[in-house]
Structure formats: C-alpha cells, structure tokens
Amino acid sequence: MVQYNFKKITVVPNGKDIVDIILSRTQRQTPTVVHKGYSITRLRRFYTRKVKYTQQNFFEKLSTIIDEFPRLDDIHPFYGDLLHVLYNKDHYKLALGQINTARNLISKIAKDYVKLLKYGDSLYCCKSLEVAALGRMCTVVKRIGPSLAYLEQIRQHMARLPSIDPNTRTILICWYPNVGKSSFMNKITRADVDVQPYAFTTKSLFVGHTDYKYLRYQVIDTPGILDRPFEDHNIIEMCSITALAHLRSAVLFFLDISGSEIVTSFKFVWFDILDENGLPFIEKTANRLSPESMFYPLIIVCNKTDLQPLDGISEEDKKLVMEMKAEAMKTVMGQGGEVGDDEGVLLTMSTLNEEGVAAVKNAACDRLLNQRVELKMKTKKINDCLNRFHVAIPKPRDQKERPPCIPQAVLEAKAKQAAEKERRKTEKDLEDENGGAGVYSASLKKNYILANEEWKDDVMPEILDGHNVYDFVDPDILLRLEELEREEGLREEEEEDDDFEMDGKELTPEEKEALAEIRKKKSLLIQQHRIKKRTAESRPSVSRKFDKDKKFTTKRMGRQLSSLGLDPSMAIDRARSKSRVAKGEVC
C-alpha cells in the first residue's frame, strides 16, 4: 500500500543560500594552498578538482529537490488532481523543469571549463578559468531563485495537507455548506473540526478515524459545494469534488431539513467520472443523481431533526426527498442489490442530541464493507484464497444448552466504569449546558493552583514572591517614558550645537598660522608614533624619508653630545658607515 507523506520533503533554500553552502563546502573540502613553483600539471589538477567538486555539490543539491517533490503523473490520481487544484500543475512542473535545466547547465559548464583547464599554461590562466566556472554556476543558480521560492511555499503548504490513504475503507461526508457535516465528524471520530453557525467554516479536507467491527475506517470531512456551474467552483469546492471523483468510499449526502434552505439544498449537480476519456470531472444534468456513475454506496442523511422532523416538512419538500431516495435506490440496484434493499438509503439524525448518529455510521460502514467484499469476490485471487480457508463447525456432545456466560466480576467492573463516566462532567458537557459552540468559552485558568482563587481572573496573573506583579506597575509609565525620550532629545540637540569643526574661515591671520603649526605638529607626532610601532633595533629611530627638513643630521648629534661633555667623533663615524647602504635598501 502506497503511503504519501509530504512532511518528509526537505526545506528548499533560496538561490543565495545554495551558493553560500556550496562555495563554503568547496573551500572546506578541497585543498586551498597552491604555489607558483608547482608544475603546470599539478596546477591543472588543483583547479580541475575544485570545478568538479563544486559541480557535483550543485548537482546533488538540485537533484534532491527534484526527486523529493512528487511527480503528478506517478502518484495516485486523487493526490495528482488535488495538487493541480491547489497549486496549478503547469506552474508546478515549470518550476521543477527550470531546476532540472539549471542542473544540466551546471554540468555542461563544468565539462567545458575542465576541457579548457587541460590547456592552461600558467597559474594565472588556471585561476581565471576556475573563477569563471564557479561564477557562471552561481549565476545559473541565482536565476532560478523565484522557482526555488515557489517550491518552498508549496512544500510548506503540502506539509499541512492531511494524510489520506486513497485505498483504505473511507467514509466521505459531503454536500451543501452549513448542514452539520463537521458536527457529525466530531461525533464519530476524535477529530476536532471547527464548527460555527455560518457557511464555509470548513475550507479544506479534514481526516478522522473510527472503528467498527474491529476494523479502522477513514472519515473525511469535505467543504461545502454550492449549486452552480462547474467552471464557477472555487478552490475550496474543487477539493470536495476531487475527493468525490477519486476516492472509492461510502458517500453521505447531508441535507438540512430544519428551515427554508431545504428546497435549494435539494437542487444539486452530480459529477460524472470518465477515466477512459482522460477527463477528471464532467458536469452532468442538474437535479438528479447518475446511477451509472455511482460505483460506491450512497446514503442520504436528513440532519437537524431536533428542529424539524422529516414527517413535519411540506408535501413539496417530502416529494423531493422521495425522488432523491428513488434515484439513490437505482445505485443500489446497479451494485447488485435487490428491490427490497431500501434500508439504509435514507436516514435521519440530529447531531445536537446524537439521535441517529450511530445508526448512520453503522449503515455507512456496513454498506461499504459489503461492497468491498463483493468486489474482492469477483477478482481472480479469490480461488487461491478459498483453498486456504477451513470453517470448523463443532458437533454437539449432548442435548444440554450452554449459553455464553460473563463472569460477575466483569459485569461489576463495567457497571462501575459506567457510573464513573456518568458522574464525571467533561468540558463538552459544560459546553452543551452553557449554550453550545460559539457561546460557551472554556476557561483555561480554572485549574491554576494559586494561593488565592481570586487571582485566576486577574488580567496579568504573573505571581512573584506571593505578590501580583500587576499591582506594582505604575499606571503613568507611558507618560513618564515620553518625558524621558523628550529630555533625551533635548540633550542630543545641545550636544550637536556644542560640537563644531574649525574650518579657518572666521580666523585672523595670526590664528591661522597657529592652527597650521598645531596641525603640522600633530601630523609629525603621528608619523613618529607609526615609526616607533614598526621599527626594530637595527633601524634608525627616524627614517630618511621623513627627515625632509634635514633636522636629524650628524652635526646636530655632535652638538648635542658635546653639550653633554662627550666625544662625538666615534658616534659620527659609526653613523656615516651605517648610512652607506646599497641603493634601494630601506634603512
């Protein structure tokens, strides 16, 4: 059995992220050091390896995206048409096709540049070819950025699709909006579908599961379908039509007999399925069912009998109901039923007081199970299976009757469980007592364990050291925050007024000369600091190129040493010998 799990599709990164990932991986996984002294063969191998490794990573990344997304022609027709309705298969295939084209282009670019690298005659030539190859690959990936973003949005939406098995036992709930489909779904399954007193609350397919005779049944709640031409249906309605067309299931048609909408809800369109012509849906004549197209059980369910019983409707509406029942009976006859098999075709129920809910569920499960068994009996495999079966019928030993016996302890345990279940009041019971869905709102704070019960209804129930934090919040905190921001703004304006730059336009000639001396002294100090920072012991304290004014000479050094009472002759001779260096050598 094929299972479709779209949640396993990996995240699709955008073009920039793919480029960063691949280039980073290439830098980490391939050698990075090369010298111009290497032989030309070694240089060619070095850069060829980088080009091939980058192409291989791009190929694997794009192939993963293409392979993980489902092919619409290979999956079940239900999922194929559902994805076409939601995303438009033309755009979907075009996006995957662009990624496949980019993958082939990258392979071609790598192949071409590997050929060129075989004839590289220098380090610079090989390096330039490698940069050009990687640049063209990255450009190709960045150009498919919109397709990658589109596929990422589709992946996120597909991950939220329900997991529907098209081949298992399925009960399909469908037809007009606001007739009680979701309420019935919540009653027979553990699904929690939103129920509201207006139409089109359900906007997508919802899946639940129920058990009947030790078998698991899949229940699907579909959005409502309005009575209008096929081309006018929107995406929400097309999801329901897709499920009706491709899922072999027991179909429950829900009708609301409680108000004035009963006449309009009886006027509907049935969609035929013609697989041999390649057409998924074709509109058929209105106001009648098509027995030829019905290959699964059909049950008409009249809901909301708590407001209006079936016997209390008008004669015109009752006539419409009987016509629908007659049309549904034709489907029973087409499936091999007999003339008297009208039980379970037209049922009444009320989801509010749960009257008839179990009967509708049991009838749908029974008819679906019988039909699946009959289909399997008609296959060729049944003969092989019958040879393996043996039904053992025990022979009676005597005339004594031995009825089934249930131990008393089991009966007492069941009675005790039933009593506990009756005493315990669930949140659903509280909802029904206080006005139902949309009126009653469950309190999420009633089970809080606090020192004071009144704290549960606080607006901000944050407790610290036994105190409510909200009691210590200043009510004028917003006004004080505005005052602080206003004061901060005034301070910043004052600081901006104080800061000014001396441009020399408003200075006197004496002040300009002083300013020039200051700037010259400042630049000289900066130069001296830089020299101290990078000079060693073997270099002079001041480089010749900074001594433009010829201030640092041997004569000056001699005068300074003489003033200190020292003989400067040896120091002057040593300085002159050190200054005689080769031309171009840095002192």
Side-chain angles (χ1 to χ4, degrees):
M1 184 179 298
V2 182
Q3 296 290 340
Y4 301 98
N5 188 4
F6 299 133
K7 297 179 178 62
K8 292 185 178 180
I9 302 177
T10 56
V11 178
V12 180
N14 55 35
K16 185 177 180 303
D17 292 343
I18 292 180
V19 170
D20 294 342
I21 292 170
I22 299 303
L23 294 184
S24 175
R25 187 181 301 173
T26 303
Q27 186 72 10
R28 288 184 288 107
Q29 299 295 333
T30 57
T32 57
V33 179
V34 64
H35 300 286
K36 60 182 179 181
Y38 288 166
S39 65
I40 189 63
T41 304
R42 186 172 180 181
L43 294 175
R44 291 168 183 170
R45 286 201 305 266
F46 179 85
Y47 288 109
T48 301
R49 180 179 177 182
K50 282 186 174 293
V51 173
K52 287 185 176 180
Y53 189 80
T54 306
Q55 180 268 334
Q56 182 181 0
N57 287 333
F58 274 122
F59 187 88
E60 292 176 355
K61 196 71 175 176
L62 298 180
S63 297
T64 302
I65 297 174
I66 295 173
D67 296 339
E68 288 189 349
F69 276 88
R71 298 176 181 270
L72 300 185
D73 298 333
D74 298 341
I75 60 178
H76 194 276
F78 165 69
Y79 274 112
D81 282 346
L82 182 62
L83 297 181
H84 171 57
V85 167
L86 296 175
Y87 316 123
N88 192 339
K89 65 179 181 182
D90 295 333
H91 295 170
Y92 178 82
K93 291 182 178 180
L94 183 61
L96 291 178
Q98 289 178 349
I99 294 178
N100 185 35
T101 303
R103 182 180 63 175
N104 296 334
L105 283 176
I106 290 174
S107 300
K108 186 176 182 300
I109 290 171
K111 184 178 179 180
D112 293 342
Y113 276 90
V114 167
K115 288 182 180 179
L116 293 175
L117 281 170
K118 291 181 180 180
Y119 302 99
D121 55 356
S122 64
L123 173 63
Y124 177 77
C125 179
C126 295
K127 177 66 176 178
S128 300
L129 290 174
E130 182 251 352
V131 171
L134 268 60
R136 288 188 62 185
M137 292 180 191
C138 296
T139 302
V140 170
V141 174
K142 289 181 179 179
R143 284 180 179 176
I144 61 172
S147 298
L148 294 173
Y150 171 73
L151 290 176
E152 171 60 16
Q153 293 180 357
I154 289 181
R155 184 200 65 81
Q156 295 177 5
H157 194 277
M158 289 172 63
R160 296 191 292 268
L161 289 178
S163 299
I164 298 176
D165 186 0
N167 302 312
T168 191
R169 294 168 293 273
T170 305
I171 299 175
L172 196 64
I173 309 172
C174 65
W175 217 230
Y176 239 61
N178 198 25
V179 293
K181 301 187 297 295
S182 299
S183 300
F184 177 74
M185 175 86 166
N186 292 339
K187 292 293 182 182
I188 66 173
T189 68
R190 299 182 64 182
D192 187 14
V193 185
D194 188 20
V195 177
Q196 298 294 340
Y198 49 80
F200 283 107
T201 306
T202 304
K203 298 181 180 180
S204 61
L205 300 176
F206 286 89
V207 181
H209 294 85
T210 186
D211 294 329
Y212 179 72
K213 290 185 178 181
Y214 304 103
L215 293 175
R216 179 60 56 91
Y217 288 79
Q218 178 179 251
V219 185
I220 301 178
D221 181 22
T222 63
I225 306 175
L226 296 179
D227 181 14
R228 53 185 176 182
F230 178 74
E231 58 272 6
D232 295 338
H233 288 304
N234 54 26
I235 295 178
I236 298 176
E237 296 173 275
M238 290 301 296
C239 292
S240 300
I241 297 173
T242 305
L244 276 170
H246 293 294
L247 295 180
R248 302 178 66 90
S249 58
V251 180
L252 302 181
F253 282 92
F254 271 64
L255 302 176
D256 183 5
I257 62 172
S258 61
S260 60
E261 296 182 357
I262 178 173
V263 178
T264 59
S265 65
F266 285 165
K267 298 178 180 180
F268 54 88
V269 179
W270 180 252
F271 297 92
D272 208 352
I273 304 167
L274 301 179
D275 293 334
E276 62 273 9
N277 295 334
L279 301 176
F281 314 106
I282 291 182
E283 186 178 3
K284 209 168 176 61
T285 57
N287 302 329
R288 85 183 280 273
L289 295 172
S290 174
E292 296 80 6
S293 64
M294 293 297 297
F295 54 82
Y296 31 62
L298 169 64
I299 299 176
I300 301 171
V301 181
C302 298
N303 193 19
K304 301 184 182 181
T305 55
D306 57 303
L307 299 177
Q308 176 70 52
L310 182 60
D311 297 336
I313 62 177
S314 63
E315 293 296 332
E316 182 181 357
D317 295 340
K318 188 177 294 185
K319 182 179 179 181
L320 291 174
V321 173
M322 292 300 107
E323 290 179 357
M324 290 185 63
K325 181 179 179 181
E327 295 290 343
M329 279 300 301
K330 295 180 181 179
T331 65
V332 177
M333 299 298 297
Q335 296 168 4
E338 298 179 359
V339 179
D341 294 342
D342 58 347
E343 184 179 357
V345 175
L346 178 64
L347 299 175
T348 59
M349 74 169 191
S350 172
T351 54
L352 181 61
N353 53 26
E354 299 187 11
E355 180 182 356
V357 172
V360 173
K361 169 193 167 182
N362 297 342
C365 294
D366 283 333
R367 292 192 57 188
L368 179 62
L369 186 60
N370 294 336
Q371 191 232 19
R372 289 173 65 91
V373 171
E374 290 176 1
L375 290 177
K376 291 181 179 180
M377 291 290 290
K378 296 178 182 179
T379 60
K380 297 180 180 179
K381 296 181 180 180
I382 190 63
N383 295 327
D384 298 335
C385 296
L386 290 177
N387 295 332
R388 306 175 190 175
F389 295 155
H390 174 68
V391 181
I393 302 176
K395 296 180 180 180
R397 294 179 297 177
D398 48 27
Q399 301 298 327
K400 186 178 180 180
E401 295 184 1
R402 293 179 175 83
C405 178
I406 301 176
Q408 186 65 26
V410 175
L411 295 176
E412 293 177 357
K414 292 184 67 177
K416 185 178 180 180
Q417 291 178 0
E420 291 179 356
K421 187 175 181 181
E422 291 179 358
R423 287 197 301 270
R424 185 178 59 196
K425 187 171 289 188
T426 62
E427 199 69 33
K428 188 67 175 176
D429 299 333
L430 294 176
E431 179 182 337
D432 295 338
E433 292 177 1
N434 294 276
V439 179
Y440 172 75
S441 178
S443 176
L444 303 178
K445 305 177 183 178
K446 63 181 181 182
N447 294 325
Y448 286 179
I449 302 175
L450 304 177
N452 191 350
E453 294 293 330
E454 297 178 355
W455 292 346
K456 294 181 180 180
D457 298 327
D458 287 351
V459 179
M460 294 178 62
E462 297 291 338
I463 307 302
L464 179 64
D465 297 333
H467 299 285
N468 197 339
V469 178
Y470 191 72
D471 296 335
F472 298 92
V473 175
D474 191 351
D476 300 332
I477 188 171
L478 296 178
L479 297 177
R480 297 190 180 187
L481 181 60
E482 292 179 358
E483 293 177 0
L484 288 175
E485 291 179 350
R486 193 182 305 111
E487 183 178 352
E488 185 68 20
L490 294 175
R491 288 184 178 180
E492 290 180 356
E493 292 178 359
E494 292 177 359
E495 293 177 357
E496 291 177 357
D497 295 339
D498 295 339
D499 296 339
F500 67 94
E501 184 177 358
M502 187 178 296
D503 54 358
K505 294 181 179 180
E506 300 177 356
L507 299 178
T508 61
E510 294 80 4
E511 292 175 344
K512 290 182 180 179
E513 291 179 0
L515 179 61
E517 289 293 332
I518 291 172
R519 289 178 175 175
K520 184 176 181 181
K521 185 68 174 178
K522 183 178 179 181
S523 63
L524 184 62
L525 292 175
I526 292 174
Q527 292 175 0
Q528 291 177 355
H529 173 72
R530 290 176 180 173
I531 292 172
K532 289 180 181 179
K533 196 172 181 181
R534 66 186 180 184
T535 55
E537 294 180 358
S538 61
R539 297 184 181 182
S541 61
V542 178
S543 179
R544 296 283 180 93
K545 63 181 181 179
F546 294 110
D547 190 16
K548 297 180 180 180
D549 298 336
K550 303 295 182 179
K551 294 181 178 181
F552 301 95
T553 60
T554 55
K555 294 181 179 180
R556 180 182 178 184
M557 183 177 66
R559 289 195 301 269
Q560 291 179 350
L561 291 176
S562 298
S563 64
L564 296 175
L566 300 175
D567 185 11
S569 58
M570 295 181 65
I572 292 173
D573 293 339
R574 180 175 177 82
R576 286 176 178 173
S577 64
K578 288 289 183 179
S579 65
R580 297 190 185 99
V581 295
K583 185 177 181 180
E585 184 177 350
V586 179
C587 295

